[in-house]
Amino acid sequence: MGVPGRWLVMSVVVWVLLGGRGFGETSELLLSSFEPGGPDWVHGDGKVVTEHATHGRHAFRIENRGKGYTGIRITDAAVLRKFKEYGLLLVDVYNPQDRPVRFGIRVDDARSVDYGSRFNDDGRVAAPGRTTVQLNLTGLTRSNARN
């Protein structure tokens, strides 16, 4: 069991509104539904639960057991290569607490070796209840800005 009050529930979807696919078209790549037999490219610190799902009946609960960084990871190279076809990464988050929870987003690539050589956004906040976190994939820069 995780530390009480230290968890978020999420489903993950990547989609684009206008990204070289033709004006007005949308395209969606579901990275994980957390459903049995569904896409399963998102892994992390926590477990699959049947609460607060936004796609199907399951979601992933991130649990912080007080041991450093916790979160989700997408490490499959074939899936990550598809990101260049999309403009936005959307993460549906449910915060069950009555107060906001701060979190960060980190994006590494093959050349990432430290904080300065990867994308970092440490100023994100999940408000109580359901929200969708958006990450513009076309505007990622390394923290040291030497792209």
Side-chain angles (χ1 to χ4, degrees), residues 111-123:
R111 296 180 295 177
S112 300
V113 294
D114 58 17
Y115 187 91
S117 63
R118 64 179 180 249
F119 172 82
N120 299 281
D121 183 349
D122 299 323

Side-chain angles (χ1 to χ4, degrees), residues 123-140:
R124 297 295 183 116
V125 175
R130 186 179 313 268
T131 189
T132 299
V133 176
Q134 296 185 20
L135 178 62
N136 179 351
L137 296 173
T138 65
L140 298 181

Side-chain angles (χ1 to χ4, degrees), residues 20-79:
R21 295 191 183 273
F23 185 76
E25 292 182 30
T26 60
S27 178
E28 183 177 286
L29 171 64
L30 182 63
L31 296 175
S32 189
S33 65
F34 307 107
E35 300 295 324
D40 188 23
W41 293 314
V42 177
H43 304 279
D45 307 307
K47 64 182 177 181
V48 174
V49 295
T50 57
E51 305 156 329
H52 311 295
T54 58
H55 187 278
R57 294 184 41 213
H58 295 86
F60 188 81
R61 183 168 73 199
I62 296 174
E63 297 177 336
N64 182 338
R65 301 182 191 278
K67 296 180 181 177
Y69 297 106
T70 58
I72 60 169
R73 292 173 290 287
I74 304 165
T75 58
D76 184 297
V79 172

Side-chain angles (χ1 to χ4, degrees), residues 13 15 17 87-93 103 105 119 121 124 131-137:
V13 178
W15 66 294
L17 290 175
L88 291 173
L89 172 67
L90 301 180
V91 180
D92 293 334
V93 175
F103 68 97
I105 297 174
F119 172 82
D121 183 349
R124 297 295 183 116
T131 189
T132 299
V133 176
Q134 296 185 20
L135 178 62
N136 179 351
L137 296 173

